[in-house]
Amino acid sequence: MDINILLFDEFETLDIFGPVEIFGNVEEFKLRYFSRHGGVVKSVHGVPVLTEPISSAIQEGILVVPGGIGTRSLVDDEAFIDMLRGMAESAHFCLSICTGSALYAKAGLLHGKRATSNKQAFGWVKTQGEDVRWVDKARFVVDGKFYTSSGVSAGMDMALGFVRDCFGEDKAKNVATHIEYNWNSDPDMDPFAISV
Amino acid sequence: MDINILLFDEFETLDIFGPVEIFGNVEEFKLRYFSRHGGVVKSVHGVPVLTEPISSAIQEGILVVPGGIGTRSLVDDEAFIDMLRGMAESAHFCLSICTGSALYAKAGLLHGKRATSNKQAFGWVKTQGEDVRWVDKARFVVDGKFYTSSGVSAGMDMALGFVRDCFGEDKAKNVATHIEYNWNSDPDMDPFAISV
């Protein structure tokens, strides 16, 4: 099962590397790191990651898209959004962390679906898809093949939830214990929701 | 305040990128990514990170060293251990995550000090420094300028503890909330300790 991680400049560091730590401890998963054109992309905290071009990815994999300040310009990049739509339509599962769900929304992939995002950026995210059934209070949301998480650290809880759905509760718990992580396993338990 | 992140092949991904997410949200910190010779190093999960050579680091910064399976051979690499000792002696603070403390121990830096490490690898870690006062049950341990954490995810709790010590409790809490992280702020609360 190929995990296709799609990076771009100014992605949020932990959005990706939290789930990478979890998926990397599941032997059934093979992780690869992509960007639209390949080469070095930098996280918002300046982490330079060497990526492969997305054209070399196996399309039928599991797509993982981070958030971060880089999403603010990408929603207006038609070529990127078109590429993302194509990847997501072929993918078995589509995961996003934080404001990554704004990219799926802008691509029209979440039409009529339930989804969530970063709580402090939620106002902006909602403008990217008014046809989405946004969930204000959730650690993560699953709707069909789409898994969307709240901000940053919530991606780890979603990743463990995805492992649970694929391989069962024991496997997810074993990974959490291995990395000494206090898993918040209830997707509805969201202490960071903002009253609206 | 320079945060000097020292990477090596087969470092544990989240050991570093959890703390990076936290330190990267503190404007007083400047983060840079090094390895002994510079160039691309890969985490144990295959994340290729482009690094600068450690010779170009400002020696008086804050040194951060991850763990991971790569430490198993590095403890026997005299040139690496000598370089680490030099960096650590000049640094204002020395932080390690997971089995990173084995490297500090092997360099003789933790002589007579309290320190901790990954719980599942603790037997091996202890053999790297029998003169260290190893703490079996701790999320992280502070002794002088040395901060050592338990396995992987514990590095995030230690990083927030370091921010608290530098800038106060409110700043640390604000960062945790910003990244929607449930901070385990008590260094002695360790659900992953193994009875011995």
Side-chain angles (χ1 to χ4, degrees), chain B residues 170-193:
Chain B
D170 284 353
K171 180 100 161 190
K173 281 185 179 170
N174 287 345
V175 172
T177 299
H178 182 69
I179 66 168
E180 299 193 19
Y181 180 66
N182 288 308
W183 180 22
N184 314 294
S185 60
D186 179 355
D188 299 324
M189 181 63 71
D190 180 12
F192 302 102

Side-chain angles (χ1 to χ4, degrees), chain B residues 30-59:
Chain B
K30 182 184 176 205
L31 283 67
R32 290 171 69 191
Y33 306 91
F34 299 99
S35 63
R36 190 165 160 224
H37 300 298
V40 174
V41 299
K42 284 192 180 181
S43 84
V44 70
H45 306 119
V47 180
V49 182
L50 187 61
T51 62
E52 301 176 77
I54 193 70
S55 56
S56 64
I58 294 167
Q59 299 262 328

